[in-house]
Each structure stands twice: as structure tokens, then as C-alpha cells.
Amino acid sequence: MSNLELNKETGPREVFCGLTSIVWLHRRMPDAFFLVVGSRTCAHLIQSAAGVMIFAEPRFGTAILEEKDLAGLADAHEELDRVINDLIARRPEIKTLFLVGSCPSEVIKLDLSTVAEKLNQRFLGKVRFVNYSGSGIETTFTQGEDGALKALIPLMESTEDNKLLLVGTLANNVEDRFKKIFSNLGIQIIESFPPRQSTQLPKIGHNTKVLLTQPYLSETVRDLEHRGCQIIHAPFPLGVEGSTKWFLAAAKAFKIPEDKVYDVISPLKNRAKQALESHVKILRGKRLFLLPESQLEISLARFLHNECEMDLIEVGTPYLNKELMEEELNLLPDNTKIVEGQHVEKQLDRVRESNPDLVVCGMGLANPLEAEGINTKWSIEMVFSPIHGIDQAADLAGLFSRPLKRNQILTSQTLVTN
Ligand code: SF4
């Protein structure tokens, strides 16, 4: 590992909870429904996080736990039963129903795994029920996906087929491009988890080679390993460098020579490097502060430093799984300051003291920082945008260069006006 400065911090946090991941998971699996068992606050969060999308029939909802439910478990069970019966009667197309726990359901100790078990017996063969927690007490927003995928693993059948399994939600077009490249490299079975249909879960076993597309899936990885899958350790496919090493690691696991990988990806790399140039002109030498939120921070820092020539002030991350992140950490420059966890007040003090050119942070912190004249980028945008792969490198850089360019234009207009 490079000579890094690793720190831990605890205290008040300012991050989204795991419910947020429903927004991209329900788009990925259109035959699944996500039922949050929570309060009106949870319902508001999910509605506003997904507010950019208009649905005739949304594929997520909330079974509201009222105050009286919080006083007695019996009432909560009744309400849940009523909502589920109504939902299944109205929506026969639902194949998998995720019961998503929240802070309120946790506080009243509602045992959603027992609820799911009973429902599975009642609706045998019609709908599958699985449960996981999206509660803000124990998850940050990308961890919701980790919980959802982990909950599906027991439903996956076994196989001895030699296959590549891409794990982590990707935009469909990005996934298609990755699969085409792996197929051109000669890999015969390439599957994704989560799949596009919740009922078409891939089979797994000792010859399944898992290649992660997202860094926030620690628990999923642990359970896949328990099922015998082999984990391919690699940096994540963000930017040209990360994606190249990601393809190379997969090729090595399938004994495909490096030359073949370069033959397939070199044209993409050349185009991507050219497309990056205009963004690097804006980003070069700019000082970056990443606050912890999505767990993508370390990969983003590596890309923005190594390929966009930004200087890293501090790289925050809500959790650091050193084993999964080892390849990424090795690519960071010496003396990079990494802070795991959060004490939001102290971190904001350090932001103000260091006067960065750009801060990557959650939506709740962006407005106050912008009001103080500090440029920000919402970290949630990275999980909603197709940023993976060599050919997306310039688009990824653009997410960071745009706010700086906009600011430059505004500053020059102000100067002219004055
Ligand atoms: Fe808030 Fe907890 Fe509900 Fe998330 S799960 S919206 S943190 S109450």
C-alpha cells in the first residue's frame, strides 16, 4: 500500500440512509417492489430522492408506522398485512417484494425476516419476499444496495459453470458495453447481479469469478465467498486507469493474455484520453476535498488525481474495507489523507480552513457551503450517472469540471460588470 495517512473519526454524521438506494434498485429490477416499513419521514425521503422521476405506478411505497404502531407491535403487523394484501391484489406483476426496514421499524424491533418468512408461505409461488435494512441508524445510502443484494444470495441456485459475474448495479447501456468487451476477450458466460429481472438470479458456485463494479458491497462479497465464489481483486472501473486494470484483472483470472486485452481496449483508451483533455485543462492543479458519503470517494480521488491532475486535500469515506480497496489505495499518491467515518463539524472546519476549489459532499452540506462561496458537487450524482468504463471517463471528469467552469464564467462576468 502507498504511504497513506489513514485516520478514523466518529461523531455527528450528515449522510443519506440506505433507503436512498431504492431509487436505483427499483429501476434496475422493474418486476420488484420495495416496501419501506417506516414513518412519514421515510416516505418523504424516498419520494423526494426519486422526485425527478414520474411514475404512473411507482414500484416503491411505504407502510406507514403511525404513533400508535410505535406503541404496539400488534398494530404494526396489522398495518403491514393490510398494505401487502392490497398491494399484491392490485399489482400482479410484482415478482419480488423487498421489505425494507427503517429506523422506526428497528426501534420497535419489528422482525421483518419472520414477517417475510410467513409471507413466503402464504404467497408460495406467486411472490417472493425478502427483507433488508435501510435504516439510517446502521446504513449510509449505498449500503442499501449491499443489504438488498445480500438478501437475494440465499435465493441463488448453485452451479459449477465457469463464469464471470459482474456484481453491483450499473446503467444498462454501460453493462451492455462491458459484456461486449468481455465477450470479445473470449469469456463465454458473463452475468450480472443484480439482474434486470429479479426472478432471473444468476446461479453461483466455486467456478464463479466475481468482479465488483461498485466498492460498497462488503457484505455481499462476504456471502458470495461463503458460497464458494472467487473474488477478483481490482481497482474499480472508473476512469481509463481503473477500468484498464479492472479488465486486466478479469482477463488474468480467465488466463487471457494481457496483449489481447490491450488489442480490444486500446482504441477506447485513445479516444477517452483525447476526450479528457479539455476537462484536465480546467481541473489541473485544483484542490479537492471529498466528504464521506457514497464510498466511491477513494476511487474518485484516484481518478481525479491520477488522470485529471487535481490535488487531494482530504478523502473522506463512510467505511473503509481495506481488503476490497487495497488495489485502489495502492494507486493513490503518497501522503494522501484518508478519513474513515465522520464528525461533520470538524470536517467542515477543515474544509473552511483549507479553502478548496471543489468539495464533493452530500446534498445537505452543499447548499451551506455554496452560500459561503465554496464550489460543491453532490456525491449522489455519481450513483445516478453512468460513470463506469473507459468511454465514460470524460463524462465523469465533466461532472467535476462543470461546476468549476461555471464558477469561472460567473466570476469573469462579475469582473466585466464591475
Ligand atoms: Fe430517516 Fe431513518 Fe427513515 Fe432513513 S430510515 S428516512 S434516516 S427515519
Side-chain angles (χ1 to χ4, degrees), residues 336-365:
T336 301
K337 181 178 180 185
I338 295 180
V339 179
E340 179 187 8
Q342 186 169 43
H343 186 303
V344 68
E345 305 298 342
K346 288 186 187 168
Q347 257 166 347
L348 287 177
D349 285 347
R350 294 201 294 278
V351 167
R352 291 179 184 115
E353 268 163 34
S354 57
N355 194 23
D357 294 296
L358 187 65
V359 178
V360 178
C361 61
M363 289 161 89
L365 296 176

Side-chain angles (χ1 to χ4, degrees), residues 114-349:
T114 309
V115 174
E117 222 170 89
K118 286 189 184 151
L119 288 165
N120 274 323
Q121 285 162 10
R122 185 158 20 123
F123 291 94
L124 196 63
K126 276 201 215 150
V127 186
R128 290 186 313 198
F129 293 82
V130 280
N131 73 287
Y132 71 93
S133 173
S135 144
I137 300 169
E138 44 182 14
T139 60
T140 58
F141 76 117
T142 48
Q143 279 178 297
E145 174 166 349
D146 198 13
L149 297 193
K150 180 183 157 75
L152 290 171
I153 293 174
L155 306 178
M156 293 159 84
E157 292 174 23
S158 298
T159 180
E160 289 307 312
D161 285 351
N162 191 20
K163 64 166 77 169
L164 176 65
L165 186 64
L166 303 177
V167 175
T169 302
L170 287 170
N172 288 354
N173 57 345
V174 172
E175 180 199 12
D176 289 341
R177 282 205 291 273
F178 281 158
K179 284 187 169 171
K180 188 155 187 286
I181 292 174
F182 285 123
S183 154
N184 288 344
L185 289 175
I187 299 176
Q188 281 169 3
I189 311 179
I190 311 143
E191 292 174 338
S192 300
F193 180 49
R196 294 187 191 187
Q197 293 296 320
S198 68
T199 45
Q200 290 171 5
L201 290 172
K203 296 180 183 176
I204 50 173
H206 289 88
N207 296 319
T208 304
K209 297 180 176 73
V210 167
L211 186 60
L212 291 175
T213 64
Q214 305 285 7
Y216 40 75
L217 299 170
S218 298
E219 302 226 348
T220 303
V221 167
R222 201 173 311 134
D223 285 11
L224 287 170
E225 274 181 316
H226 285 157
R227 289 286 300 273
C229 299
Q230 304 162 35
I231 310 300
I232 300 173
H233 289 276
F236 291 87
L238 298 182
V240 177
E241 180 190 33
S243 306
T244 302
K245 290 186 187 294
W246 187 76
F247 283 121
L248 285 170
K252 192 172 173 199
F254 283 84
K255 301 193 170 37
I256 296 164
E258 281 196 2
D259 291 358
K260 185 156 185 186
V261 180
Y262 285 114
D263 281 352
V264 172
I265 66 173
S266 287
L268 294 178
K269 283 178 72 169
N270 295 339
R271 274 204 304 273
K273 281 184 178 165
Q274 263 181 12
L276 266 174
E277 275 168 19
S278 60
H279 300 288
V280 176
K281 273 189 199 145
I282 298 168
L283 296 172
R284 181 176 291 135
K286 297 289 190 308
R287 300 169 68 248
L288 178 71
F289 200 120
L290 294 112
L291 288 169
E293 195 171 51
S294 65
Q295 290 192 54
L296 288 165
E297 292 83 5
I298 291 176
S299 307
L300 291 173
R302 180 260 302 153
F303 166 69
L304 290 165
H305 175 79
N306 295 359
E307 292 181 57
C308 301
E309 302 179 34
M310 293 188 86
D311 293 336
L312 306 175
I313 301 172
E314 181 172 317
V315 183
T317 179
Y319 297 99
L320 177 60
N321 179 332
K322 285 195 191 134
E323 204 187 330
L324 284 188
M325 296 311 288
E326 189 183 353
E327 309 280 331
E328 285 286 0
L329 294 171
N330 283 338
L331 295 172
L332 285 173
D334 276 352
N335 303 322
T336 301
K337 181 178 180 185
I338 295 180
V339 179
E340 179 187 8
Q342 186 169 43
H343 186 303
V344 68
E345 305 298 342
K346 288 186 187 168
Q347 257 166 347
L348 287 177
D349 285 347

